[in-house]
Amino acid sequence: MSVHAFLRRSAELPGRGRLAACRAGDAAVAAAHRAVSAAPLPWPHEGQARVEVEGVGSLGTVGEQRPVPIASITKVMTAYVVLREHPLGPRDCGPTVRVDRAAARESGSTIESVVPVEEGQEFPLRQLLSYMLIPSGNNIARLLARWTAGSEAAFVRRMNEAAVELGMARTRFTGSCGMDVGNTSTAVDLLVLARAVMRDEAFRTIVATPSVRLPGDGGEARTTNRLLGRHGVAGLKTGTSTPAGGNVLWAAYKDVDGSPKLVLGAVLAQRSGCSPVRARAAVWAHSRRLVEAVQRAPFDELAALGPSAPATPSSLTPRAPGAERVGALSGRGRAG
């Protein structure tokens, strides 16, 4: 049985059986992954990952680049399509969006990440984008899809058209929020999207924001991105579910001779088929190590790791990695 078939089969087992299967499969997954990757960074031993640096290019890609579920990272494309059709200036709040009945009804869900809103409430577009990207409100993503295109189905068509235009050949969307497993992509494709959307100042500002105040007495909701504000990280988006495992798309800045260089990374499919708790722990640990390694490395070392350099053991591996509150916004099925 292949490693991927093993993971799919284990996801169908009940709680304890699934946990035992995940543990039993860890060694097999790591061995299979090492067989196809020898890149000189502290890469994860499963799933797939890629890192790029502005002005340098790719620092490497590991794992088979087959489409995998990306959970709430889907919302990055949702934001890209919305902002392409309704661009926001640096201080522009944008047009007003009225909350419909569906978004209000969905805000009571206990199985997905939602933001509490009421039918008839009105919010500026920038605020709704913040609700979607910071605490990862699924109901807000679907609301923006309907507002932009008339229906979610029509909006999803625009998402897939945008993916084709960007050259994301192995990406497919079936929804605007990532709740279903039909939203799939690869680490390589997601960095194409990240490069495009990080050119938008409104998007950059929102994903660099650590928290947002919720409507009414909802209090303050913190970002789902645990890396934000550490090691130069300035965004992007997370996505976790049992089928998808742990996934992080991140953006950081590295100082090079007094000039900030954008670093983009994607780590996908960590502990797929296992509990979201294990998946989140794995993806945060691997993402943090990659960011730390890139930040510690002199720029000339990074340049040597570009696409033309052979994959060899590297001094970039960190000596010792340093030692979310989603709260009511997160349901049991998805952590954003």
Side-chain angles (χ1 to χ4, degrees):
M1 182 185 298
S2 72
V3 170
H4 299 308
F6 177 90
L7 288 174
R8 285 194 300 271
R9 190 74 57 84
S10 69
E12 299 169 359
L13 296 173
R16 289 189 177 181
R18 183 169 66 241
L19 181 59
C22 288
R23 288 172 174 167
D26 283 350
V29 171
H33 197 267
R34 282 193 297 270
V36 296
S37 71
L41 283 171
W43 299 105
H45 297 303
E46 63 180 308
Q48 51 185 274
R50 181 176 174 88
V51 177
E52 297 178 356
V53 179
E54 176 188 15
V56 175
S58 173
L59 301 189
T61 305
V62 298
E64 179 186 356
Q65 293 299 295
R66 63 182 185 86
V68 295
I70 57 173
S72 286
I73 289 179
T74 297
K75 295 183 179 85
V76 176
M77 179 58 89
T78 300
Y80 176 79
V81 173
V82 170
L83 285 168
R84 190 168 66 167
E85 300 199 20
H86 302 280
L88 297 179
R91 294 179 174 81
D92 185 10
C93 291
T96 298
V97 181
R98 186 180 180 87
V99 175
D100 61 18
R101 181 172 301 176
R105 184 181 64 249
E106 293 162 358
S107 69
S109 174
T110 59
I111 62 169
E112 60 177 327
S113 301
V114 294
V115 168
V117 291
E118 298 178 2
E119 183 179 0
Q121 284 183 309
E122 295 184 341
F123 298 96
L125 176 58
R126 182 184 287 267
Q127 189 169 358
L128 288 178
L129 286 169
S130 297
Y131 290 159
M132 180 181 73
L133 292 168
I134 298 173
S136 202
N138 285 354
N139 60 328
I140 304 304
R142 292 188 287 257
L143 169 62
L144 288 175
R146 293 188 296 270
W147 175 75
T148 301
S151 70
E152 186 169 16
F155 186 84
V156 169
R157 287 194 291 273
R158 298 187 190 183
M159 295 172 73
N160 285 310
E161 289 167 1
V164 171
E165 292 170 9
L166 289 170
M168 300 169 66
R170 296 185 177 183
T171 296
R172 177 173 176 264
F173 296 102
T174 57
S176 60
C177 68
M179 185 65 178
D180 65 85
V181 296
N183 295 282
T184 58
S185 190
T186 66
V188 170
D189 273 9
L190 286 177
L191 290 200
V192 172
L193 174 60
R195 284 198 304 274
V197 76
M198 284 296 285
R199 297 188 186 108
D200 188 288
E201 184 175 355
F203 180 87
R204 289 197 310 271
T205 301
I206 291 169
V207 296
T209 304
S211 65
V212 61
R213 181 159 292 282
L214 298 177
D217 298 325
E220 197 88 3
R222 293 195 60 78
T223 178
T224 60
N225 187 352
R226 295 184 187 177
L227 292 176
L228 187 64
R230 303 177 181 180
H231 316 297
V233 172
L236 272 155
K237 191 70 185 76
T238 68
T240 307
S241 70
T242 298
N247 305 272
V248 173
L249 182 63
W250 51 264
Y253 289 96
K254 177 180 174 64
D255 184 77
V256 178
D257 297 328
S259 175
K261 293 286 185 181
L262 180 64
V263 183
L264 297 171
V267 179
L268 307 181
Q270 300 301 296
R271 298 296 192 267
S272 300
C274 299
S275 77
V277 173
R278 292 189 71 208
R280 281 194 294 270
V283 76
W284 288 125
H286 290 304
S287 299
R288 186 190 69 242
R289 289 169 192 151
L290 282 172
V291 177
E292 288 176 342
V294 171
Q295 293 290 15
R296 289 173 180 168
F299 185 73
D300 55 354
E301 282 191 38
L302 290 178
L305 297 181
S308 61
T312 57
S314 171
S315 60
L316 294 184
T317 302
R319 297 178 183 85
E324 112 195 44
R325 193 208 89 165
V326 183
L329 297 178
S330 287
R332 293 185 295 273
R334 186 167 309 277

